[in-house]
Amino acid sequence: MTAAAPPPTDPGATPTTARSLAPDIARGAMLLLIALANVHLYVYGHPIGIRAYPRDVDGPDQVVALLQVMLVDGRAYPLFALLFGYGIVQLAWRRSAVGLPAPAVTRLVRRRGAWMIVIGLAHGVLLWSGDIIGAYGLLAVLMAGLLVRGTDLSLLVTATVGVVLASMVYALTGLTMPGEQQVLLQSMTMEDPGNALISRAVEWASFGFLTQAFPVFGAVALGAWAARRRLLDEPERHRPLLVRVAVCGIGAAILLGLPLALMIAQLWTAPPLVAVLLAGALHALGGYAGGAGYAAAFGLLAIRVAQRGGPGPVTHALQACGQRSLSCYLAQSVAFVALLPAWTLGLGDDAQLWQAALVAAGAWLVILLVAVASDRAGYRGPAEILLRRLTYGPRRSHADLTAHT
């Protein structure tokens, strides 16, 4: 009688030394873009207009608004979504390589996504209602079958539909906020911590959860398509394509974001309604293009690093941050919340855009240095350890988890 084959075992987390460089440095740099994109939503005390930017920008704030809308706003999250889809395919391949069948891999992705929703809920209610962890967890739950077992054609069709729908929805984001509203998230202005917590729960359920997921599902599909071609795992094989995507994508982000940037910077006042709607739609298209362009640029950077014999100090720092991207993202919220809302120090009251941008860059830099120190000490990010244990169960020792990613 032939003995039954043993069931496939979990291969564990990918050793740090075996991880692809390009996705990690992209995630590390992406966190700076996310910090810059989020921080102006902590500022209050000014009447807000398009995309919750202050209406009364001038001088340095105009420069910040121009650069941020063209290069950061609506570009960071498509990049995040693209890398998220890329990472899911990497996870699926690793499990499939040890014999785990596709249905089991799909369930694993859904379980991971469900726990991300739980973590996102805690993050949104306790700290930052604009949380994106829960939104991407929802996408993992809903899109797991497509990402793991879908055809290349179905991924490309989903990406195309996502771009079209995001552009249609984003056309409305070019409209000015009504009245004299001074903040998008009312919890920022509440001095009582209890009232602010209740407000964040409502904001997360309505703004930070559902509306964050819808505009970027196409980028998740696009990232999965790119992962199947190993565009960032083997960038040297795809260098001509990456060059074209980087140049055209970032160029399109700047060009298509310019009309809305001019409006937000108060350099194009009283535009006609059709121009406002068109500017919002073009901004969304530029966001998808920019996300892809940034990802390709980091693929090209990985080629250069390999040619030089390995990461230098800056690249290594980005890599360490990217390997702990979930923990570093949560740490940004801790830093912003400690300083800016009314229920803490209240430094966001009447702050200028350029001041908020400095806070974002400074927080990212400090967190980057902490990530480097953690890497040298051999410690993984605490949020990564938590998510892995929730997803797979406590089957591995802490020492094993700290040595892997």
Side-chain angles (χ1 to χ4, degrees):
M1 183 176 179
T2 304
T9 58
D10 173 22
T14 307
T16 301
T17 54
R19 287 180 62 125
S20 301
L21 177 63
D24 280 336
I25 59 175
R27 291 184 184 100
M30 170 202 69
L31 287 167
L32 172 60
L33 301 183
I34 288 179
L36 291 169
N38 284 344
V39 74
H40 78 278
L41 298 177
Y42 285 84
V43 172
Y44 55 97
H46 304 267
I48 59 174
I50 299 172
R51 295 185 65 80
Y53 282 89
R55 296 183 192 176
D56 54 351
V57 294
D58 57 12
D61 279 357
Q62 288 180 304
V63 176
V64 171
L66 273 173
L67 295 176
Q68 194 156 299
V69 175
M70 289 189 294
L71 296 173
V72 176
D73 189 295
R75 282 88 178 111
Y77 287 125
L79 172 60
F80 187 104
L82 192 149
L83 294 172
F84 182 68
Y86 200 102
I88 286 179
V89 171
Q90 288 180 314
L91 179 153
W93 273 355
R94 180 162 174 79
R95 270 64 194 177
S96 298
V98 295
L100 200 65
V105 176
T106 302
R107 290 193 297 271
L108 176 65
V109 171
R110 288 202 174 106
R111 186 162 64 248
R112 183 182 179 90
W115 282 115
M116 288 179 65
I117 294 175
V118 174
I119 293 173
L121 171 62
H123 177 224
V125 173
L126 296 177
L127 294 173
W128 163 237
S129 56
D131 163 79
I132 58 172
I133 299 171
Y136 287 90
L138 177 64
L139 291 176
V141 171
L142 297 178
M143 299 177 65
L146 171 68
L147 299 176
V148 174
R149 294 182 286 179
T151 64
D152 287 350
L153 178 60
S154 63
L155 289 172
L156 290 176
V157 168
T158 302
T160 302
V161 171
V163 172
V164 172
L165 292 180
S167 300
M168 294 171 62
V169 171
Y170 266 64
L172 301 176
T173 64
L175 300 174
T176 301
M177 299 291 291
E180 294 298 311
Q181 187 172 340
Q182 294 190 349
V183 69
L184 179 64
L185 303 173
Q186 294 298 323
S187 59
M188 294 297 164
T189 64
M190 297 179 177
E191 295 184 0
D192 182 81
N195 290 337
L197 184 146
I198 295 171
S199 181
R200 284 194 303 277
V202 175
E203 291 166 352
W204 180 84
S206 57
F207 168 75
F209 183 50
L210 298 177
T211 61
Q212 295 269 42
F214 177 75
V216 295
F217 73 86
V220 174
L222 184 61
W225 179 86
R228 292 184 179 186
R229 278 144 191 81
R230 302 183 65 82
L231 296 185
L232 298 181
D233 292 290
E234 301 171 352
E236 64 284 348
R237 292 181 51 201
H238 307 281
R239 189 177 186 280
L241 174 61
L242 293 177
V243 169
R244 291 194 296 270
V245 173
V247 172
C248 295
I250 297 174
I254 295 171
L255 182 62
L256 297 179
L258 180 60
L260 198 66
L262 292 172
M263 296 176 191
I264 291 175
Q266 299 298 309
L267 298 174
W268 184 5
T269 58
L273 178 60
V274 64
V276 171
L277 297 176
L278 182 59
L282 291 177
H283 185 261
L285 285 174
Y288 266 78
Y294 284 139
F298 287 112
L300 295 173
L301 177 58
I303 296 174
R304 189 174 182 87
V305 169
Q307 291 173 342
R308 290 184 172 183
V314 175
T315 308
H316 174 72
L318 292 175
Q319 182 183 27
C321 187
Q323 291 171 350
R324 298 156 180 80
S325 57
L326 180 58
S327 296
C328 291
Y329 171 71
L330 295 173
Q332 287 182 0
S333 295
V334 173
F336 292 165
V337 164
L339 298 173
L340 301 172
W343 58 280
T344 56
L345 293 182
L347 299 183
D349 186 12
D350 204 36
Q352 303 298 310
L353 271 182
W354 67 267
Q355 294 171 324
L358 286 179
V359 169
W364 174 80
L365 182 59
V366 170
I367 293 167
L368 187 76
L369 296 176
V370 173
V372 172
S374 298
D375 183 70
R376 289 176 177 173
Y379 290 111
R380 289 289 292 123
E384 283 75 15
I385 294 175
L386 174 63
L387 180 57
R388 176 163 179 78
R389 287 192 171 178
L390 291 172
T391 302
Y392 301 99
R395 292 178 294 175
R396 292 177 176 272
S397 69
H398 177 74
D400 182 47
L401 288 170
T402 57
H404 296 78
T405 178

